[in-house]
Amino acid sequence: MTSPGVLPDSAIRALLAQGGIAATPEVTEAQVQPASLDLRLGPVAYRVRASFLAGHGRSVESRLPEFEMHKVDLAQGAVLEKGCVYLIPLAESLALPPGITAVANAKSSTGRLDLLTRTITDGGTEFDRIPEGYHGPLWAEVCPRSFSVLVRQGQRLNQIRFRQGEARLSDADLQSLHRQEPLVDGAPVISEGLGFSVDLHPAKGTLVGYRAKPHTGVVDLDRIGYYPARDFWEEVHSDDGRIILDPGAFYILVSREAVTIPPDYAAEMAPYLAMVGEFRVHYAGFFDPGFGHGSAGGHGSRGVLEVRCHEAPFVLEHGQVVGRLVYEKMAARPDRLYGAGIASNYQGQGLKLAKQFR
């Protein structure tokens, strides 16, 4: 493949066939998404004293004895405790060819559970960024922030996206694309990406979001639609278009904009400027080609916002810009689009909790 851009599913399969991605056990078709590959947890988790990066010229495994507290067997399932940091070897490893870089991210449901999951590599000096030509293992650092979780070997908490060359759209490119095919259902706010604002004036009722309860039970990640939302979340209501965020609290909110990702593009959520307030959209996330797009059964989909307030209580108001979507070109159109013929939990979504809740 010679075109620059994000590699689609067909190119990911080619990387697998060529040995650019290896795994034990072998990668399954269910892991291959339109513009990314799901990564699987290995058989053990190491409780560590602190988060760390390997650093230049050093392997993760060689540094593990500095931080390891104890080892947890994931083969039969184990609870990762809220507030603790774990390091888990992933089933997949990489031997990236020249010209190919990669970036990893938490999957949608992982972020909505406030389950901080980042990928680290040998020689790495950044989380989630994998340089051109990287040969080596992948590790997931997992830190449950709001709920203790029951995890098992083979579960998929994070995903990886591969790029060839420069893929990111400039603001001028984004304006042009929006004129050809509207990316939001209103006037776009374009500045280093497409701005996302928060919806605190719902069309019906006063429910604008959810706040994680501080003392809850364990969430078994395999139990879909199982847990009553009220046992883990407090409803957040507003009748005046604003809410006050409490320091340290974790919120699920929703964007005012309904967003579209055309089939030849992918996107990634990025935090907005820190200067706008004492909070941040806590987890970035991948948006696949076809998200909210008519060709994949969508009519624009809202972006779910995972928000944490920091130092001081902060008033968040309707329409305030809180994040941005960075659009990228695909190197080729994927064989399948998000929401079209694959299990896509969040196509056409509004305000929605992780799939484990009902």
Side-chain angles (χ1 to χ4, degrees), residues 207-213 229-230 232-237 250-253 305 307 351-353:
L207 178 66
V208 296
Y210 299 90
R211 180 173 119 155
K213 289 186 173 182
R230 65 179 178 273
F232 293 82
W233 300 92
E234 299 169 356
E235 292 187 350
V236 178
H237 291 264
F250 179 75
Y251 297 83
I252 296 292
L253 305 172
L305 307 171
V307 175
L351 178 63
K352 189 171 182 179
L353 295 171

Side-chain angles (χ1 to χ4, degrees), residues 199-209 238-239 241 254 302 318 351:
D199 184 7
L200 298 178
H201 264 317
K204 294 181 181 178
T206 61
L207 178 66
V208 296
S238 175
D239 53 13
V254 70
R302 305 289 188 95
H318 178 71
L351 178 63

Side-chain angles (χ1 to χ4, degrees), residues 196-200 241 256-257 317-322:
F196 251 19
S197 65
V198 63
D199 184 7
L200 298 178
R256 185 176 60 165
E257 298 81 9
E317 301 191 84
H318 178 71
Q320 188 164 347
V321 177
V322 294

